[in-house]
Amino acid sequence: MRKSQVVLGVPVSESMLLTDQPDLLAAITRGDVHGFMLADKAHPATQWLVQVDGVKIIAPDKQTAYMLFYAWSTKGAY
């Protein structure tokens, strides 16, 4: 991504991200994930991003995010 390139999307912070993909935040930072951008002071993260098996969903709060992540990531464990 060029310095002058503007990336717009849902702001994502490391503290509000649950994922099974370890490099997702780095990909968002590079601008490689359409519709998402790294949160900053001007654009703080206000919602949780949950991703499991490539499926992303925005959760409004921590409890919902953790319930979704647990349900999705353990779906074949029982």
Side-chain angles (χ1 to χ4, degrees):
M1 179 171 71
R2 287 181 243 124
K3 287 245 183 219
S4 63
Q5 185 177 0
V6 176
V7 178
L8 298 177
V10 176
V12 178
S13 73
E14 185 174 15
S15 64
M16 297 179 80
L17 172 65
L18 295 173
T19 182
D20 60 351
Q21 181 184 342
D23 62 340
L24 179 61
L25 191 62
I28 290 171
T29 302
R30 289 190 306 269
D32 294 343
V33 182
H34 179 73
F36 296 93
M37 62 183 245
L38 188 64
D40 57 20
K41 287 185 179 187
H43 307 94
T46 59
Q47 299 172 320
W48 285 75
L49 174 60
V50 180
Q51 178 186 306
V52 176
D53 293 333
V55 178
K56 297 174 188 70
I57 191 166
I58 301 296
D61 56 54
K62 183 178 182 177
Q63 182 177 0
T64 304
Y66 274 87
M67 287 185 341
L68 286 169
F69 184 75
Y70 178 77
W72 284 355
S73 61
T74 61
K75 66 182 173 219
Y78 47 87

